[in-house]
Amino acid sequence: MEGSDDGETWHEYTFRYKVSDPERAPRQVAPHQPRLDWQMWFAALGSPPVWLLAFMLRLLEGSPDVLKLLAINPFPERPPRYIRATLYDYRMTDRETHRSTGAWWSRERVGLYLPPLSLASGGTSSRLQWHAGE
């Protein structure tokens, strides 16, 4: 999940348990199943579920209840103008790579899962609108 104010520079939201930063050690210890982080993994296996779009809408609105579910909000002053979901393929690094670089993971960007979205203007309730391009 990434947000942007200008559609050019993107900043990652950091989840409490889901892999993101390659230098961040694995956080999950079985049998704990952190619901949001676990559901994000399942969501990436198919078409975006409705709950994921609702989650993105709440991030654009800056919902305090939703932001509490995350480890780091890269937009502490105000919500971003745009949000998108990017797919990465993660692989755990081998021992030698971890020792030399400090990275726990290597990751390769696969592409966009959901293109940039923003809040639609007008109306009495918040809605998402799609944006062309990346």
Side-chain angles (χ1 to χ4, degrees), residues 55-67:
F55 176 73
M56 294 173 80
L57 174 66
R58 297 300 174 246
L59 290 176
L60 285 168
E61 293 173 338
S63 167
D65 289 335
V66 170
L67 290 169

Side-chain angles (χ1 to χ4, degrees), residues 1-5 10-21 24 36-37 40 55-63 66-86 88 90 107 117:
M1 210 54 64
E2 302 168 323
S4 175
D5 287 326
W10 295 89
H11 302 282
E12 271 187 69
Y13 285 89
T14 303
F15 289 78
R16 294 187 185 278
Y17 300 94
K18 188 177 84 50
V19 177
S20 57
D21 178 0
R24 187 172 169 215
L36 175 61
D37 301 61
M40 292 293 290
F55 176 73
M56 294 173 80
L57 174 66
R58 297 300 174 246
L59 290 176
L60 285 168
E61 293 173 338
S63 167
V66 170
L67 290 169
K68 281 192 273 186
L69 299 171
L70 302 168
I72 297 173
N73 171 15
F75 299 91
E77 301 299 319
R78 68 183 184 292
R81 185 170 172 202
Y82 304 103
I83 195 160
R84 70 182 184 186
T86 305
Y88 287 93
Y90 283 85
R107 74 178 185 177
L117 303 168

Side-chain angles (χ1 to χ4, degrees), residues 116-131:
L117 303 168
S118 68
L119 291 176
S121 57
T124 57
S125 62
S126 295
R127 296 182 331 246
L128 293 171
Q129 67 183 15
W130 303 91
H131 289 273

